[in-house]
Amino acid sequence: MNKDYLIMTPGPTEINQSVLDAMATKGTNPDLDKDFFEVYKDTVTSYNKLIAAKKARSMFLAGEGILGLEAACASLIEEGDKVLCIANGVFGEGFKGFVEMYGGQAIMLLSDWDIGINISNIEKALEIHKGIKLATLIHCETPSAITNDIDLICRYLNSKGILSIVDSVSAIGGEKVTFDDSKIDVLLGGSQKCLSSPAGMTMVTLSQRSINHMKNRSTPIRGYYLNLMIWEDWYDKKWFPYTQPLQNILGLKQSIENTLKIDFASEHKKYGEYVREHFLSNGYELYAKSDYSNTVTAVKLPPNVKFDNLFDIMKEKHGILIGGGIGQLKDKVFRIGHMGENNKRENFDRTFEALSKSFKELIQ
Ligand SMILES: *Cc1c(COP(=O)(O)O)cnc(C)c1O
């Protein structure tokens, strides 16, 4: 395995040397050393600042982003609960599986993949379906490179007494999130997207409303690792449910601090526009029609070009990794992540030049 690729995929991303340095430590025993609880608490404080959460409880679970999605469903859903799955892409549709796995009745609100969610569709769905307790939605649909207006949607859901579970795995640290003001109930993040840490951690934030919801369940939460209530009082009791991955927490802490040092939302917007502008002015077509993501761009593949062939040339001849299409977008698009550490002018210019050469080679 070559260790020196330029990683321009929409997660995992490039990693800053300061994060690698923070992780390269023997450290301590995180179960026994009370100092580690302070490090963890400081990390939570910085993270809450990043998502404008003052009244919320955040925790970091050892596992990839998907663990957070599953843990939220396992902890909040009970047998027979009606859950509105607001979906305009791969991840939005994918929530159905988790909802049903934990006994929920998934009501699918399916929308076009190339535009953001229109709130009037949610209003219509709620008129038809009564008794909905929870809703799942995606902040940035990474495979189709669309951003949904979670502020508008979550405030609306809250006004209807519905708890929101938001997958912001590919937006946290790239788009502004206002957890308290937007009345989000469960917010899910991942370490390997805009925060540019290695994969392996998922961040979960709970509103007081969602904590009360879990406390008032009539049946116990199934699972231990997936039970978000086991994190209650970890700091007061100086106790973690399992041994914490010290190096990953230190890396995450450093990457959150790096993100807080910059005006991260404007930076991502700037690079998002730079990337879209490049493709549009060079004859490419974007997959999205509006509501473009500022953290990832999906570009239509020319007919007759297979993604695997493009990927191989980019990797072998140019040392650059790019993303492809998932689900119905397989061989339809390729994707560039403009997330966190990927965001350097020279990285994009190198990628654009390599893409242009690769396409010339593929379409002759
Ligand atoms: C990356 C990502 C996840 C985590 O899933 P993986 O594909 O396993 O990395 C979850 N939701 C969204 C929107 C993501 O972009």
Side-chain angles (χ1 to χ4, degrees), residues 64-66 69 91 138 140 142 167 169-170 192-193:
E64 202 270 339
I66 291 293
L69 274 55
F91 285 100
I138 314 295
C140 169
T142 331
D167 169 352
V169 172
S170 62
Q192 82 277 27
K193 304 279 167 89

Side-chain angles (χ1 to χ4, degrees), residues 94-135:
F95 254 117
K96 182 177 195 272
F98 292 125
V99 167
E100 291 176 345
M101 221 176 277
Y102 294 96
Q105 189 185 328
I107 296 167
M108 301 304 291
L109 176 58
L110 301 175
S111 303
D112 292 340
W113 283 23
D114 52 6
I115 53 169
I117 299 284
N118 184 337
I119 193 130
S120 67
N121 293 344
I122 303 177
E123 290 169 355
K124 279 182 215 141
L126 295 187
E127 273 165 31
I128 301 168
H129 302 282
K130 300 293 172 197
I132 289 174
K133 285 190 185 167
L134 297 145

Side-chain angles (χ1 to χ4, degrees), residues 18-37:
S18 63
V19 173
L20 297 174
D21 290 345
M23 295 181 78
T25 172
K26 174 161 68 82
T28 183
N29 181 323
D31 290 331
L32 302 175
D33 186 344
K34 298 283 183 282
D35 291 344
F36 178 69
F37 289 80

Side-chain angles (χ1 to χ4, degrees), residues 326-361:
I326 302 172
Q328 69 185 48
L329 296 182
K330 188 172 159 43
D331 281 325
K332 299 270 191 303
V333 300
F334 67 91
R335 294 178 302 147
I336 303 294
H338 24 97
M339 300 176 166
E341 281 302 309
N342 293 11
N343 285 346
K344 295 196 177 74
R345 266 295 269 276
E346 63 266 30
N347 290 350
F348 295 114
D349 294 343
R350 200 181 131 190
T351 305
F352 297 155
E353 197 184 333
L355 277 169
S356 148
K357 287 183 182 156
S358 304
F359 279 121
K360 273 199 195 107
E361 198 174 324

Side-chain angles (χ1 to χ4, degrees), residues 149-186:
D149 189 342
I150 59 166
D151 175 60
L152 193 70
I153 298 172
C154 292
R155 279 189 289 117
Y156 174 72
L157 291 169
N158 178 265
S159 76
K160 298 287 168 188
I162 295 169
L163 295 180
S164 55
I165 299 176
V166 180
D167 169 352
S168 182
V169 172
S170 62
I172 286 172
E175 299 275 0
K176 194 171 168 208
V177 176
T178 51
F179 184 89
D180 292 340
D181 289 350
S182 299
K183 310 234 181 274
I184 300 167
D185 290 301
V186 182

